[in-house]
């Protein structure tokens, strides 16, 4: 491992040791007497009607897709930005084409109303 | 019977209470208040009310309506059978576009036990009237939701408190009291103490909460 | 007028059936929820975040006020009415006292009327302040709450000095007032008005032109004047829809006809207009109080009322313009010392009925804003 | 022992192969489509690992460029694959791959 | 042992201008890690207290006053309370994921600080992909949020989790675009090669003689503005605090969390706030550079600015002493008065130490960096005191339809202007 | 930039990856699988760091762990996995799969034992500090067309995914 990345591991290791330790310390001092009512999920004072998992709107998924695609786009822009001056006009045009294609997709998505929340 | 109909006092043994608690609504109990006697015309009495509108209504419905004024407030007692038509006319032709309130009063001694009262207001005329009708226990009235959307909850409350049913109401169920409540509390013969005691016995497992 | 069939209840038994088509979701909000202003329970049927319909479940605070009224004498029931809309207790008392006075065919003396107007309008200010604070809090602005509470305190101090209570004041008696005003009452009220006038600007400065506030309230929870009238909605909500109707002007009671004030109205009937209307109402209230204090007449504070109040047989309906809308009392007397029937026509109860109409097609977050803008008090809804 | 302590390209390749096999097993045996898709991600990652290892071995960066394109591809594949899965789930209300037996639904 | 001494010495040499990580100096890396932990804990505790106090004073109230003088010990009391609170895992919850989710959030928020440059050599490590690492690691907290919401097995947390994760990912794009336009500016130098390293970015600002917020005015400012909005949204703070919109979804994704486990989310949130502020400071506000490094660059100004850290602490101490004088003289308040006095004395001592030239030269970078970050923290509190909350669709609208096109536009314009500059 | 403790980190990360991979394909609960996959991906990012490919490592963290896995988690939340958990986990042809995988594994072993000699044992030194910059030069120079086509791929992905997921389009 190149040496300047090693501190990351030290860092993570310290957190992964410290956090469970504090949780353990908390476990030693805190009271623990759960009851059925206490363990019930919060539903504004009413007994929960149904299992909560798995019936949410698909719009969240569309947001996630758009995010992933545009994330890829930003990732591609990073090396260009770093090399911006050296790549010069040629690189700029290249990026413009790249962005133009993606912006076409963005406009299509906008037009189709996938960006509308409701 | 009279012993059972009395609201149980603190000392009354549970055994005596039981039969009453089974049907609290049906027992013709004597309420704490004095019986409503329509007697003693002491001070100002209602005077007949006359206006162009009343004249028009009188022409169509004749003796079915009895318009009166009391303390400057107008109201009309309408025959039960004329209620749907009268309300319709008031709403559509006489511009009473705002249903202020729907309520009822219980007179257990009468044969027609309930007064049902519509308080109406007209924005264009700036006039407030009351429409009153007498109805028997168990008899249902037409719902006025098609005329005034506001009637929805008001009718539900009347049903909740008096047990008067409204035909054509889309969702006639209790509104303020929980589903499955026994009896209709604003009836004069409603035994609140029996009800309370029963609840205490069932839910707390003790003889009496009083 | 809304289609009556659209008010049909939600079919709560079959949530699964609809899941695949439209991602319908039933969400229960309340009774223990920070934004339902007490113990209102709202069952929302959602498509994603869009409200398809909702059903209010009320009654968690039901205390049977009307039944209590039947078992108390007229004077004994007076303190109970304060407990309905505890935010505007003075208005409740005014309505009740005036209704019984009407039944007795008496009238409170002018000085009493003036003090009543002053206190009622002060109470309207407290009610609107509380509304503003909680409404803004619902929309996420936490600071106005503290500003309004700071200023509300000054009014409550006046109440406390006058009748010893801050919230459930029991300030009025049938036939007039129990207490003469304390010395310095006029001065203190005037001082308060001078202090309060810039405060309204301060509230408005935080919100009225705030971009986020505008986005959150403009066009939200719209209700047309026709729908308002059909649903019996009154008060600022009705006025925000453009209906210039205020009982203080339409059917004046308690000396209001002698005061000069305007009825602020809105145009669009949305949450923002209701906000603007209430803010303007606060300014009008300040105006009324000022006139009333300036013209406070000398004289008795109690009309001739028998020791034992026994109204003649008959029934009367009297209503006043409470901060939330038309507050009506329907009292039936059988000639005894106790009312045979007391019916309260609470503005919040009837206004709450419009929630479904106002929320359809809006988002979940708007339901909160709309509940806030309706300015309901569950104590009054459930009685 | 020295072979174990001296990390060479082969070590990375073996790791990649193991990961690839895990992915293949997942794709071929699991019924849950979501997990099948995740196994495909494992396979892609195994490939990436090889590419990077070779890139390091030859001292060029072409392997890294390929890895970036593979990751791009993985993003596109996940987006469309999961989109199909959602459409499928909406119609069949299941995520079992055994039920995917119609071209049109 | 000798090695250790050498290790220690190697870094104390004032000529060393490299971070311990890059130098391979694991001892000093460890010391720095510990210092970062300590500093972050103090910062979070201070944030907790300051947020309440500042918010309270904005809202015409006093805030905590009971625990310690002016509530100074309130955060500690809170921590104790949370430690002693019952910690429930709701029935039906996925206990492993429930247990693990807060870790992800805390880890993601903390790991960012591995590359935060407090000074030219005051960073745990410097890496070639610094900003990429920061963005990547901070985006991992989305996973923790989603998992916390899912594991709770309850409606409100799940909706809260979906909402806040959708919000976080939406603003990440705009954030990335704004970052790229800053990176682009770093490449406008003699070699034509920019950098992703955090230290390199600040050095580039130093070399180009202006903070990137002022570069290509107003393009740098707009990019900074986009980032500043996105970072508030990213950390789920007002006016974008939908995730924990109290009035709508009670507490969002951590509704079911209680006790110490909940406090981990709290810790993560505040650390993330500091982390994104650090990114903003590094990219646009010149990192550790003191104000006007180029306009006022005579040695006199240098010495003058080197007094500012000490003076600041002395000023804080003076506030403390003033309040000691204002404390009620009743014996009941004696301990509180003494405590406040001691706190002031400690601040004054720190201030005096900071006046020593040797110390001040080494520390003033850290001071300026921290001061800039603290300014952002104040903004966070101010937003919370002023703004109503956005609605979810408005938030999405802002992210996808306003900030994203704006970010793209700014990026392309910056590139265009940069090209013109190269040509001329 | 000198490497330190390479075998230790390699075995640590390799073990993490393999355990993660095994958990991905064996967990009943898809969320647990996703969690395991995230751990695998992060460990792999660190392996990229070891191989002096920091830019790819960054891409791996941002895109894979922070992007694609969020997508997976969202989908898991949208589809009801509780039922899938109660059902049989492996399909009816699982033994075919195992056999195929074993055969493939055998093939790999054969290739590696045979081809060990063709791998040169040299460790070239790449200036790690210039990694991103060099990637940029290659990406926008030699791989220009691939780069532009990648944007087309993304365009297709957006359109395809939105069409698939959105019902009323």
């Amino acid at each position: 491992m190149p040496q300047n990345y090693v501190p990351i591991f030290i860092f993570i290791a310290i957190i992964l040791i410290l956090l469970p330790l504090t949780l353990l310390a908390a476990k030693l001092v805190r009271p623990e007497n759960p009851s059925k009512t206490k363990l019930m999920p919060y539903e504004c004072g009413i007994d929960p009607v149904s299992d909560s998992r798995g019936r949410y709107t698909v719009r969240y998924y569309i947001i996630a897709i758009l995010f992933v695609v545009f994330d890829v786009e930003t990732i591609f822009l990073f090396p260009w930005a770093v090399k911006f001056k050296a790549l010069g006009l040629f690189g700029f045009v290249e990026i413009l084409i790249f962005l133009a294609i993606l912006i076409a997709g963005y406009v299509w998505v906008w037009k189709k109303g996938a960006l509308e929340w409701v | 019977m009279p012993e059972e109909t009395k609201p149980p006092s603190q000392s009354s043994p549970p055994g005596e209470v039981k039969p009453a608690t089974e049907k609290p609504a049906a027992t013709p109990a004597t309420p704490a208040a004095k019986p409503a006697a329509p007697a003693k015309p002491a001070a100002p009495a209602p005077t007949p009310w006359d206006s162009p509108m009343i004249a028009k209504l009188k022409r169509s419905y004749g003796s079915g309506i009895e318009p009166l004024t009391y303390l400057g407030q107008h109201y009309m007692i309408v025959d039960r059978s004329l209620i749907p038509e009268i309300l319709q006319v008031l709403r559509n032709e006489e511009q009473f576009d705002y249903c202020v309130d729907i309520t009822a009063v219980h007179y257990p001694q009468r044969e027609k036990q309930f007064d049902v009262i519509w308080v109406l207001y007209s924005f264009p005329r700036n006039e407030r009237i009351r429409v009153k009708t007498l109805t028997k226990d168990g008899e249902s009235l037409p719902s006025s939701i098609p005329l005034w959307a506001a009637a929805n909850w008001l009718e539900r409350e009347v049903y909740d408190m008096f047990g008067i049913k409204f035909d054509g109401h889309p969702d006639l169920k209790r509104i303020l009291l929980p589903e499955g409540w026994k009896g209709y509390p604003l009836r004069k013969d409603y035994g609140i103490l029996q009800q309370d005691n029963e609840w205490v016995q069932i839910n707390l497992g003790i003889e009496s909460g009083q | 007028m809304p289609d009556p069939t659209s008010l049909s209840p939600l079919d709560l038994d079959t949530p699964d059936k609809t899941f695949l088509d439209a991602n319908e979701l039933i969400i229960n909000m309340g009774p223990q929820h920070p934004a339902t202003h007490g113990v209102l329970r709202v069952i929302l049927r959602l498509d994603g975040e869009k409200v398809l319909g909702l059903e209010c479940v009320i009654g968690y605070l039901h205390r049977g006020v009307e039944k209590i009224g039947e078992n108390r004498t007229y004077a004994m029931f007076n303190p109970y009415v304060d407990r309905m809309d505890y935010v505007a207790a003075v208005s409740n008392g005014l309505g009740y006292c005036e209704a019984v006075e009407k039944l007795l065919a008496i009238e409170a003396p002018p000085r009493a009327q003036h003090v009543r107007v002053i206190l009622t309008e002060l109470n309207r200010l407290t009610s609107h302040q509380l509304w503003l604070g909680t409404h803004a809090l619902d929309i996420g602005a936490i600071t106005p709450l503290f500003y309004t509470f700071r200023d509300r305190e000054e009014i409550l101090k006046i109440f406390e000095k006058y009748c010893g209570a801050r919230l459930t004041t029991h300030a009025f008696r049938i036939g007039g007032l129990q207490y003469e005003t304390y010395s310095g009452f006029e001065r203190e009220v005037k001082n308060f008005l001078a202090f309060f006038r810039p405060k309204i600007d301060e509230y408005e400065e935080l919100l009225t032109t705030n971009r986020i506030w505008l986005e959150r309230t403009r066009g939200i929870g719209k209700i047309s004047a026709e729908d308002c009238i059909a649903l019996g909605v009154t008060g600022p909500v009705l006025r925000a829809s453009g209906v210039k109707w205020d009982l203080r002007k339409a059917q004046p009671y308690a000396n209001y006809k002698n005061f000069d004030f305007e009825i602020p109205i809105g145009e669009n009937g949305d949450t923002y207009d209701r906000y603007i209307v209430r803010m303007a109402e606060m300014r009008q209230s300040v105006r009324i109080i000022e006139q009333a204090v300036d013209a406070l007449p000398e004289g008795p504070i109690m009309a001739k009322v028998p020791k034992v109040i026994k109204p003649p047989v008959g029934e009367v309906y009297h209503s006043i313009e409470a901060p939330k809308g038309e507050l009506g009392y329907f009292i039936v007397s059988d000639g005894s010392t106790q009312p045979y029937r007391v019916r309260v026509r609470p503005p919040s109860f009837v206004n709450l009925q419009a929630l479904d109409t106002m929320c359809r097609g809006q988002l979940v977050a708007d339901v909160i804003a709309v509940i806030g803008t309706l300015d309901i008090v569950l104590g009054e809804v459930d009685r | 022992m020295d072979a174990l302590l001296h990390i060479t390209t082969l070590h990375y390749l073996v790791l990649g192969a193991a990961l690839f096999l895990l992915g293949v097993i997942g794709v071929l045996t699991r019924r849950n489509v979501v997990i099948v898709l995740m196994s495909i991600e494992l396979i892609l990652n195994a490939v990436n690992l090889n590419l990077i290892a070779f890139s390091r071995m030859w001292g060029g960066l072409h392997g890294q460029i390929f890895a970036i394109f593979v990751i791009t591809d993985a993003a596109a594949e996940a987006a469309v694959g999961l989109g199909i899965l959602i459409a499928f789930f909406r119609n069949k209300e299941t995520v079992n791959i055994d039920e995917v037996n119609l071209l049109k639904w | 042992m000798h090695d250790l001494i050498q290790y220690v010495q190697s870094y104390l040499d004032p000529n060393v201008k490299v971070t311990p990580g890059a130098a391979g100096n694991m001892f000093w890396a460890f010391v720095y890690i510990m210092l970062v932990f300590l500093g972050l804990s103090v910062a979070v505790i201070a944030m907790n207290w300051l947020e309440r106090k500042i918010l309270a004073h904005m809202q015409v109230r006093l805030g905590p006053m009971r625990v310690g003088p002016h509530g100074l010990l309130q955060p500690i009391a809170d921590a104790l309370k949370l430690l002693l609170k019952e910690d429930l895992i709701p029935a039906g919850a996925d206990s492993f994921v429930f247990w693990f989710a807060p870790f992800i959030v805390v880890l993601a928020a903390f790991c960012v600080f591995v590359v935060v440059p407090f000074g030219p050599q005051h960073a745990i490590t410097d890496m070639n992909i610094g900003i990429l690492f920061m963005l990547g690691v901070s985006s991992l907290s989305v996973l923790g949020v989603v998992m916390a919401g899912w594991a709770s097995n309850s409606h409100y947390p799940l909706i809260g989790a979906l909402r806040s994760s959708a919000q976080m990912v939406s603003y990440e794009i705009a954030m990335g675009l704004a970052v790229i336009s800053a990176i682009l500016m770093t490449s406008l130098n003699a070699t034509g090669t920019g950098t992703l390293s955090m230290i390199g970015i600040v050095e580039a600002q130093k070399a180009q003689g202006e903070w990137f917020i002022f570069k290509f005015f107003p393009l740098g400012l707009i990019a900074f503005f986009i980032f500043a909005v996105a970072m508030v949204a990213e950390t789920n703070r007002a006016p974008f605090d939908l995730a924990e919109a109290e009035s709508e979804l009670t507490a969002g994704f951590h509704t079911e969390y209680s006790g110490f486990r909940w406090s981990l989310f709290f810790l993560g949130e505040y650390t993330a706030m500091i982390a994104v502020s650090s990114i903003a400071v590094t990219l646009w506000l010149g990192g550790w550079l003191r104000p006007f490094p180029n306009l006022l660059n005579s040695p006199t100004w240098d010495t003058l600015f080197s007094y500012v850290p000490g003076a600041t602490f002395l000023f804080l101490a003076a506030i403390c002493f003033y309040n000691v004088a204002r404390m009620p003289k009743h014996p009941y308040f004696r301990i509180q008065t003494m405590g406040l006095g001691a706190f002031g004395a400690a601040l004054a001592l720190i201030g005096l130490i900071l006046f020593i030239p040797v110390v001040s030269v080494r520390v003033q970078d850290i001071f300026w960096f921290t001061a800039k970050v603290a300014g952002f923290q104040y903004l966070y509190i101010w937003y919370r005191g002023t703004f109503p909350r956005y609605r979810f669709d408005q938030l999405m609208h802002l992210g996808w339809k306003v900030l994203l096109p704006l970010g793209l536009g700014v990026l392309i314009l910056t590139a265009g202007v940069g090209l013109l500059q190269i040509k001329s | 930039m000198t490497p330190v403790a390479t075998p230790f980190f390699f075995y640590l990360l390799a073990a993490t990856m393999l355990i993660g991979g095994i958990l991905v394909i064996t967990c009943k609960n898809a969320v647990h699988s996703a969690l395991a996959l995230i751990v695998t991906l992060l460990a792999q990012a660190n392996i990229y760091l070891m191989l002096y490919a920091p830019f790819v490592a960054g891409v791996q963290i941002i895109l894979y762990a922070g992007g694609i896995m969020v997508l997976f988690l969202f989908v898991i939340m949208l589809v009801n996995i509780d039922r899938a958990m109660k059902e049989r986990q492996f399909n009816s042809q699982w033994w075919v799969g195992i056999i195929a995988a074993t055969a493939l594994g055998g093939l790999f072993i054969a290739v590696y034992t045979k081809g060990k000699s063709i791998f040169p044992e040299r460790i070239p030194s790449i200036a790690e500090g210039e990694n991103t910059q060099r990637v940029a030069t290659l990406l926008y120079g030699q791989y220009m067309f691939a780069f532009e086509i990648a944007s087309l791929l993304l365009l297709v992905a957006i359109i395809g995914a939105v069409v698939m997921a959105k019902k009323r389009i």
Side-chain angles (χ1 to χ4, degrees), chain C residues 27-29 33-35 49 138-143 146-147 150 210 212-213 215-216 220 363 365-366 368, chain E residues 55 58-61 155-156 159 163 239 246-248 250 384-394:
Chain C
I27 276 223
N28 176 56
M29 208 164 83
H33 192 283
E49 300 229 344
D138 286 345
I139 297 185
I142 42 180
T143 307
F146 295 98
Y147 285 10
R150 170 194 63 191
N210 186 316
I212 305 178
W213 180 262
E215 280 190 31
R216 282 301 304 273
I220 301 304
L363 302 180
D366 296 333
I368 310 291
Chain E
L55 211 53
M58 283 174 180
Q59 295 169 343
V60 294
R61 58 197 174 93
H155 278 120
Y156 289 99
I159 296 181
R163 276 177 156 207
E246 214 170 58
S247 48
E248 292 153 33
T250 56
R384 200 174 157 198
T386 318
F387 288 133
R389 186 180 298 119
Y390 266 111
R391 206 176 55 205
F392 196 71
D393 62 319
Q394 293 166 347

Side-chain angles (χ1 to χ4, degrees), chain E residues 117-119 122 211 281-282 285-293 301-313 354 360-376:
Chain E
F118 295 95
H122 298 306
W211 293 1
V281 167
T282 313
L285 296 181
W288 66 80
L289 302 176
R290 69 170 172 79
F292 313 112
W301 283 110
D302 278 348
T303 18
L304 221 56
F305 271 111
S306 74
Y307 291 145
V308 175
T312 312
F313 274 88
L354 288 180
S360 104
V361 162
R362 290 220 141 219
V363 170
Q364 60 176 338
D365 300 330
I366 302 179
F367 173 80
W368 287 115
F369 189 87
T370 318
K372 288 170 191 172
V373 172
F376 273 102

Side-chain angles (χ1 to χ4, degrees), chain C residues 71-381:
Chain C
N71 295 303
R72 299 285 181 278
T73 64
Y74 287 94
M76 278 163 76
F77 184 54
N78 196 359
Y80 279 95
V81 295
D82 284 358
R83 270 80 183 165
M84 288 188 308
D85 182 357
Y86 38 79
V87 180
V90 182
S91 295
N92 289 349
L94 177 71
Y96 176 71
C97 290
E98 290 218 323
V100 179
E101 281 159 19
K102 192 145 207 167
L103 203 55
L104 288 166
I106 56 171
E107 202 168 292
R111 183 174 170 84
Q113 301 257 21
H114 265 73
V115 174
R116 279 181 177 186
V117 166
I118 294 171
L119 292 180
T120 315
E121 290 303 318
L122 281 176
N123 198 213
R124 191 183 306 277
L125 289 180
T126 63
S127 171
H128 281 2
Q129 279 172 339
L130 194 90
W131 155 79
L132 176 63
T134 50
H135 180 43
L137 186 67
D138 286 345
I139 297 185
I142 42 180
T143 307
L145 180 77
F146 295 98
Y147 285 10
T148 56
F149 267 64
R150 170 194 63 191
D151 306 335
R152 186 169 170 264
E153 200 62 21
E154 302 301 318
I155 303 178
L156 297 186
K157 273 181 198 157
I158 294 175
F159 285 167
E160 190 177 6
K161 260 190 160 175
Y162 174 68
C163 59
R166 288 156 52 89
L167 199 65
T168 45
T169 47
H170 190 203
F172 308 143
R173 298 294 183 274
I174 295 159
L177 305 168
Q178 171 133 24
Y179 315 105
E180 183 52 84
T181 56
Y182 59 91
S183 73
F185 175 75
E186 288 107 314
R187 196 189 63 242
E188 274 186 25
V189 172
K190 274 188 167 170
N191 282 350
F192 167 75
L193 294 181
F195 157 84
F196 183 64
R197 221 178 256 121
K199 298 295 178 199
I200 305 179
D201 299 330
E202 197 179 335
Y203 306 155
E204 289 221 51
E205 211 169 283
L206 263 173
L207 298 174
T208 307
T209 52
N210 186 316
R211 239 188 91 88
I212 305 178
W213 180 262
L214 289 174
E215 280 190 31
R216 282 301 304 273
T217 52
R218 277 227 179 125
I220 301 304
K222 262 192 173 175
I223 186 161
S224 66
E226 293 78 53
D227 282 357
C228 271
I229 292 170
L231 284 163
V233 175
T234 46
V237 184
L238 175 68
R239 288 194 282 275
S241 299
V243 181
K244 200 167 185 140
W245 187 77
D246 188 319
L247 272 172
R248 289 175 294 179
K249 285 266 193 209
Q251 300 190 332
Y253 55 92
N255 226 355
Y256 268 109
K257 56 181 176 299
N258 296 336
F259 300 119
D260 178 31
F261 64 98
E262 273 145 36
I263 307 171
I265 57 167
E267 287 167 16
N268 307 319
D270 58 5
T271 304
Y272 185 71
D273 277 9
R274 292 189 275 273
Y275 159 77
I276 290 292
V277 163
R278 286 197 178 100
M279 296 312 273
E281 264 180 30
M282 285 205 227
R283 292 178 204 276
Q284 296 302 327
S285 288
V286 169
R287 244 175 100 186
I288 296 172
I289 299 168
E290 204 157 50
Q291 295 168 37
V293 175
D294 283 340
L296 189 60
E298 294 298 320
I301 52 164
M302 199 67 181
K304 279 209 162 21
V305 181
K307 272 258 155 27
V308 179
I309 298 169
K310 267 178 139 178
V313 178
E315 52 190 53
V316 73
Y317 176 86
H318 182 71
S319 62
I320 63 157
E321 183 73 26
K324 276 136 193 118
E326 176 176 349
L327 171 68
Y329 287 90
F330 176 68
I331 302 179
V332 180
S333 165
D334 61 351
S336 71
T337 56
Q338 295 169 332
Y340 187 71
R341 165 106 173 91
V342 188
R343 157 71 184 169
V344 186
R345 189 266 182 204
S348 295
F349 177 77
V350 184
N351 287 2
L352 183 58
Q353 207 178 160
L355 186 64
D356 184 59
T357 315
M358 288 160 91
C359 286
R360 281 192 188 207
Q362 310 275 353
L363 302 180
V364 189
D366 296 333
V367 176
I368 310 291
V370 173
I371 293 176
T373 193
L374 271 176
D375 193 15
I376 49 162
V377 166
L378 265 296
E380 189 180 58
V381 173

Side-chain angles (χ1 to χ4, degrees), chain F residues 6-166:
Chain F
T6 309
F8 167 73
F9 280 112
F10 175 78
Y11 286 116
L12 178 73
L13 295 170
T16 318
M17 279 173 73
L18 288 181
I19 293 170
I22 291 169
L23 285 177
V24 169
I25 60 167
T26 49
C27 274
K28 251 184 163 182
N29 190 329
V31 172
H32 292 177
S33 282
L35 198 56
L37 186 55
I38 289 164
V39 172
T40 310
L41 294 173
L42 290 179
Q44 186 162 4
N46 284 307
I47 291 226
Y48 292 165
L49 288 180
M50 291 183 72
L51 288 167
Y52 292 88
F55 184 73
V56 186
V59 174
Q60 175 96 355
I61 296 176
I62 290 195
L63 267 190
Y64 248 125
I68 298 177
M69 288 322 291
V70 173
L71 195 58
F72 268 101
L73 283 175
F74 271 41
V75 170
I76 294 170
M77 261 152 237
L78 288 175
V79 302
N80 200 347
I81 59 159
D82 282 15
R83 183 173 327 167
M85 268 170 65
K86 288 184 193 93
E87 286 175 0
R88 197 157 45 85
Q89 292 299 311
F90 295 96
N91 62 25
S92 41
Q93 291 97 28
W94 61 270
W95 49 274
V96 182
I98 297 285
I99 290 171
T102 322
L104 197 60
L107 184 68
F108 280 147
I109 292 165
V111 169
Y112 286 154
T113 43
K114 279 274 179 213
K116 198 178 174 183
S117 52
I118 62 167
F119 295 131
E121 277 304 315
R122 62 197 179 113
I123 299 293
S125 59
I126 310 171
E128 186 258 357
E130 290 292 301
N131 178 270
T132 315
Q133 289 79 348
R134 291 185 52 195
V135 166
T137 320
L138 265 185
L139 190 60
Y140 299 101
Q142 199 174 344
Y143 289 96
M144 188 184 89
F145 283 110
F147 166 71
E148 299 294 356
I149 287 168
S151 76
L152 277 178
L153 179 74
L154 293 176
L155 179 68
V156 172
I158 297 187
I159 296 177
V162 170
V163 168
M164 278 291 169
K166 207 164 160 64

